[in-house]
Amino acid sequence: MNRPGPSAVRRGGRPAAPGPAAAPGPAPSAALAAAPGPSDEPGFGARLTAPLLMGSLLNPLNTTMISTALVSIGHSFGIGAAGTAWLISVLYLASAVAQPVLGKLADTLGPRRVFLAGLVVVVASGLVGTLAPGFGALIVSRVLLGIGTSAAYPAAMAVLRDESRRLGRPTPRPVLARLSFAALGSAAVGPALGGLLVTVVGWRGIFAVNVPIALLTLGAALLWVPADPPRERAADGGAVRVSLDPLGTGLFTAALTVLVFFLLDLADPRWWLLAPFAVLTAVLAWWQLRAPQPFMDVRMLAGNGALLRTYARHGLSYLLIYCMMYGFTQWLEEARGFSSGQAGLLMLPMSVTALVCSLLGARTKGLRGPLTLACVLLTAGGGILLLLSGDSPLGVLLIAGACFGASQGLVGTSNQAAVQAYAPAESIGAAAGLQRTAQYIGAITASSLIALAYAGAASDAGLHLMAAVAVVLGVLLTVLTLTDGALRART
């Protein structure tokens, strides 16, 4: 373990607390957001945490903010729902690969360096999207955005871990709570903010807004995030070892990319893509069992059924949640004739209930109860969507959004708590990263289902197709949750 050097004295002049270095604790759960106590203890004040919180909200904000801009973007470039679905999928694909990779880089090279580098990439992505002359430039912007924003969360956790080691005590729970809640809150308000930006300045505003946020965060990080402590070096005193398992990372990226290409054209599936996907997956598993420091711990996953079921439950739940978030907003605009701003306002019940239910879910000690309620609400929300038409009352639209929002809050907190409960303590970071990957795959599948359902434009028939899928999967998730014996334990 690294010993603190001269930087062990805070920038504010307060000396580090004596005592042995504390081992890094598990990744934070959104459940901690229920404990909003003070966090002004030495080393964990607002100056340190503010840039970390600002950086960590960028990825979830951008995953949902674009939902109310897809129709406007499609009209600007003459592209239908199947084309604009790429703007959703490429960010998730880039994030699914970048988060674990950048987390390893933060551990090896230093979190402050990775955090700052990610913000620079975010600024570049915002400029590319704002000035985009064509749809291809928007794709490039979203790829850069996925990579840049993925640096913030793992780097922030590593910064807090290093601060904990320096001070010889764990990171205060309220600090972890705020970091986790920033991600959930920004994702929840994304559709409303996106609708406002599209209404006021046009769809380019959802790309441009990243530039001032990233620059402000960059300045705060340069001023207030401490310099990286010395990292582990090779046994011979040589350069820092960077153990990223490039072959494993490349195989994982290739397999996930092939899967995305298959999912993005479900109307005319390229079945032959399943063959290279199966081969790449098999080679990836073979290599991960033999790599000295693998990209993912296959042995741990193979022997942990409760964790694998958590990933499956999380991915399927978010598939339905993102179908609502992206598909329902497009239906509101194209089939019901609402503006982007009005559609964003109609999504507010989903945002508010997600935030409220995340806090309520955090206060429960069990897992099966809130997860079962979430599955029932997903099924009910799908049933409501099945009944919608062009003249459905406004109140019914709001209730449908609230059902999916409540599910989002309960699923987010409960499944994150399940990962903490079932993953080995020494692998909690990698396990949390794979949970994000499961969520991204669910989102990619959702965008593919939307493209299949809507084809050229959003319609009642397409919405009803997604609603039928939501009902079927909601019932399946309810059965799987009720029969999962591991969920009977209290956390």
Side-chain angles (χ1 to χ4, degrees), residues 90-125:
V90 295
L91 185 138
Y92 285 117
L93 176 60
S95 300
V97 176
Q99 290 236 6
V101 173
L102 293 172
K104 286 191 175 183
L105 276 176
D107 287 334
T108 306
L109 300 179
R112 186 175 185 267
R113 295 184 180 93
V114 173
F115 189 82
L116 295 175
L119 292 171
V120 172
V121 176
V122 172
V123 172
S125 73

Side-chain angles (χ1 to χ4, degrees), residues 99-390:
Q99 290 236 6
V101 173
L102 293 172
K104 286 191 175 183
L105 276 176
D107 287 334
T108 306
L109 300 179
R112 186 175 185 267
R113 295 184 180 93
V114 173
F115 189 82
L116 295 175
L119 292 171
V120 172
V121 176
V122 172
V123 172
S125 73
L127 293 175
V128 171
T130 304
L131 304 175
F135 188 72
L138 293 185
I139 296 292
V140 173
S141 172
R142 293 285 285 181
V143 171
L144 292 174
L145 191 61
I147 295 172
T149 58
S150 292
Y153 180 75
M157 289 304 301
V159 166
L160 296 176
R161 178 205 59 203
D162 288 343
E163 190 74 355
S164 179
R165 288 173 174 173
R166 181 180 70 81
L167 295 172
R169 59 183 176 82
T171 303
R173 289 171 64 91
V175 174
L176 299 178
R178 292 172 187 176
L179 186 64
S180 181
F181 196 68
L184 180 61
S186 58
V189 303
L193 176 60
L196 176 64
L197 289 171
V198 173
T199 301
V200 175
V201 298
W203 61 261
R204 294 182 187 271
I206 67 166
F207 294 91
V209 72
N210 289 289
V211 176
I213 296 176
L215 287 175
L216 184 61
T217 307
L218 182 66
L222 287 170
L223 288 174
W224 297 330
V225 175
D228 294 320
R231 317 312 292 179
E232 294 291 340
R233 306 190 74 83
D236 58 1
V240 176
R241 285 181 174 174
V242 182
S243 302
L244 291 179
D245 185 17
L247 178 57
T249 303
L251 289 169
F252 178 78
T253 304
L256 199 56
T257 302
V258 172
L259 178 62
V260 169
F261 271 93
F262 172 76
L263 291 174
L264 281 179
D265 194 9
L266 294 179
D268 185 20
R270 299 183 179 92
W271 296 108
W272 62 269
L273 287 174
L274 296 180
F277 171 72
V279 171
L280 288 167
T281 302
V283 175
L284 172 64
W286 173 83
W287 171 247
Q288 295 303 277
L289 291 171
R290 287 157 179 78
Q293 293 187 339
F295 178 75
M296 64 177 67
D297 192 343
V298 174
R299 287 188 178 89
M300 182 272 290
L301 292 174
N304 197 329
L307 187 60
L308 289 176
R309 291 192 298 273
T310 299
Y311 291 153
R313 184 170 58 243
H314 195 69
L316 287 174
S317 297
Y318 268 90
L319 187 160
L320 303 183
I321 291 167
Y322 280 115
C323 272
M324 173 68 175
M325 192 172 295
Y326 296 122
F328 188 56
T329 51
Q330 292 187 58
W331 179 83
L332 288 172
E333 294 181 49
E334 292 192 326
R336 286 295 299 263
F338 290 108
S339 67
S340 297
Q342 291 171 331
L345 289 175
L346 288 172
M347 295 298 288
L348 274 179
M350 182 175 181
S351 304
V352 173
T353 52
L355 291 172
V356 171
C357 287
S358 69
L359 295 176
L360 295 177
R363 294 180 181 276
T364 62
K365 295 183 178 180
L367 294 174
R368 188 164 60 168
L371 285 172
T372 301
L373 178 58
C375 296
V376 171
L377 288 172
L378 285 174
T379 308
I384 294 174
L385 295 183
L386 268 176
L387 304 176
L388 292 183
S389 62

Side-chain angles (χ1 to χ4, degrees), residues 438-486:
Q439 180 174 326
Y440 296 144
I441 292 175
I444 292 168
T445 308
S447 66
S448 306
L449 181 58
I450 293 169
L452 173 65
Y454 286 160
S459 63
D460 289 353
L463 181 68
H464 294 161
L465 173 61
M466 288 188 288
V469 172
V471 171
V472 172
L473 290 182
V475 172
L476 175 62
L477 281 168
T478 303
V479 173
L480 292 177
T481 301
L482 289 173
T483 57
D484 189 345

